[in-house]
Amino acid sequence: MSVVAWAQRGIARYEPLDRPDLEAFQRGTFGDGALQLDHAHFHWAFEEVPSPDPEGVQFWLCKRNGAVVGQQAGIPFRLKVGERVCRASWAIDLMVSPEWRLRGVGPALSETHSLSSEVAVGVGISDAAYKAYKRGGWLDLGGLTTFVRLIDLRRCVQASKHDGPLARVLATAGTPFAAAASAGFAGLARLRGARLEEVPAFDGRVDALWAAVAPHHAVIAERNRDFLSWRFDRCPTAGRFRRLYVLRGGELVGYVVLRVDHWKGASVGVVVDYLARPGWEAAAFALAVSFARRGRLAALLCRTLNAAIERPLRRMGFLCLPNGLHAPTRIMARPAPGAEDLAGLLSNPRNWFVTAADSDLSFKELGA
């Protein structure tokens, strides 16, 4: 559908003059105190992105009789697909007023966003939206996996809703293997000359890391200094992140971004993002587990889609939570008209590298 046709249906990009009407809509649909109402968050997430849409802020509104009845936002980014770098966008915050649902507003907003980039991607797709996205030609990539490394088993069992004799026996049985496996990987990392260093902000060394790692991933969002500085150093919650460099001598071989959350009285570490040179992924996570233990964290969690990391994490004692035991993490993608040749690579989940730093997933996680 043409831009004119969308305009005729009351859909247009957000303009600063829309702020009062947008806030009234968001307050009614998301509730008072919602992150969407935070001006600093809006400015950072949509107006300061490192790969902006030349057409303007990726935020579309649907109006009826002068009032906002629906919204669709997007976070533009650069996506490496094979040897090609594409203009892509994370689809987030699609919301329609109850009285306007099932009347074409949602699909129209979603279609408008999809046509703004070569590839549209969504994470955390609800069951209702999933059916509409499938009808719209989106590719189903399954879900992200949540890995959990228990560190303080007593506190984990106390916090768990599955607090019972069986949970305690299984937790205790896993202790020696998990501890020995992580210690072994961490010791091996140190023998190879790797060490962990916390830094206050990302610096130019991550550009060399990105250049070395990118060719080894078929589908991955750009993770250069511009992106990492925006995502972690300039965001309104920058103080919550621990930026951990994995160094071998003076060379950066990987990084882990950690956030400490509080879950039912227990402090847990959440790996929001990570990246490592081939062969150094296990070392990065082993050193992160050691860092979490020194910080007296009860557990370390990582939500990711990355086929290469599954076996090393399991060998280190990470438990794999099946999809459905936690918040929805379904991921879907859609190449725009003219980019259909990308579908072959995009349709295989094992080609993808995704973390909680992608899209708005980490905004919704524990304590976000």
Side-chain angles (χ1 to χ4, degrees), residues 231-245:
R231 181 62 184 81
F232 298 112
D233 300 337
R234 301 201 305 272
C235 72
T237 56
R240 296 199 60 193
F241 298 116
R242 311 287 295 272
R243 303 153 188 83
L244 309 177
Y245 275 8

Side-chain angles (χ1 to χ4, degrees), residues 58-323:
Q58 286 204 345
F59 207 108
W60 290 269
L61 305 178
C62 180
K63 291 186 176 183
R64 291 291 187 271
N65 301 319
V68 174
V69 299
Q71 68 165 55
Q72 169 74 76
I75 300 177
F77 68 103
R78 289 163 60 85
L79 180 68
K80 176 188 171 294
V81 184
E83 301 299 320
R84 180 171 163 186
V85 178
C86 309
R87 290 184 303 102
S89 180
W90 299 107
I92 68 170
D93 287 349
L94 173 62
M95 182 61 73
V96 178
S97 295
E99 64 271 21
W100 284 94
R101 293 171 189 171
L102 301 178
R103 298 174 68 176
V105 173
L109 284 163
S110 177
E111 184 74 4
T112 305
H113 167 261
S114 298
L115 296 176
S116 69
S117 306
E118 294 175 272
V119 181
V121 193
V123 180
I125 309 297
S126 67
D127 291 339
Y130 173 76
K131 297 177 182 179
Y133 276 34
K134 285 291 287 186
R135 289 194 297 269
W138 288 62
L139 305 171
D140 184 359
L141 302 172
L144 277 66
T145 300
T146 299
F147 294 94
V148 180
R149 173 63 168 83
L150 305 179
I151 298 173
D152 187 325
L153 298 175
R154 181 184 60 82
R155 284 196 290 161
C156 288
V157 171
Q158 287 176 343
S160 173
K161 64 181 179 180
H162 304 293
D163 183 6
L166 180 60
R168 292 190 180 93
V169 170
L170 291 176
T172 304
T175 302
F177 167 75
S182 291
F185 275 96
L188 182 60
R190 295 187 183 96
L191 285 176
R192 296 177 66 188
R195 61 186 174 87
L196 210 60
E197 178 182 306
E198 185 169 4
V199 296
F202 283 98
D203 55 46
R205 287 176 286 180
V206 293
D207 283 334
L209 176 66
W210 166 248
V213 174
H216 298 275
H217 291 282
V219 184
I220 183 173
E222 190 172 58
R223 279 168 162 76
N224 58 13
R225 184 184 183 182
D226 284 348
F227 169 79
L228 294 172
S229 294
W230 168 77
R231 181 62 184 81
F232 298 112
D233 300 337
R234 301 201 305 272
C235 72
T237 56
R240 296 199 60 193
F241 298 116
R242 311 287 295 272
R243 303 153 188 83
L244 309 177
Y245 275 8
V246 182
L247 298 167
R248 180 182 57 184
E251 180 187 25
L252 181 65
V253 297
Y255 71 78
V256 175
V257 178
L258 194 68
R259 189 185 70 219
V260 177
D261 285 336
H262 301 284
W263 175 62
K264 297 183 179 179
S267 295
V268 298
V270 177
V271 176
V272 181
D273 195 29
Y274 66 92
L275 193 69
R277 289 175 181 265
W280 287 94
E281 296 93 343
F285 272 91
L287 292 172
V289 170
S290 297
F291 182 87
R293 181 178 289 109
R294 291 194 300 272
R296 303 182 63 82
L297 300 180
L300 189 67
L301 297 82
C302 179
R303 188 169 290 176
T304 187
L305 177 60
N306 178 11
I309 203 67
E310 293 178 6
R311 182 175 295 179
L313 290 186
R314 289 176 182 272
R315 290 176 62 191
M316 265 186 278
F318 278 81
L319 305 176
C320 177
L321 297 186
N323 291 317

Side-chain angles (χ1 to χ4, degrees), residues 14 16-27 61 63 66-69:
Y14 164 85
L17 292 176
D18 294 319
R19 169 64 70 177
D21 293 334
L22 174 60
E23 288 189 352
F25 166 77
Q26 292 177 328
R27 189 168 286 107
L61 305 178
K63 291 186 176 183
V68 174
V69 299

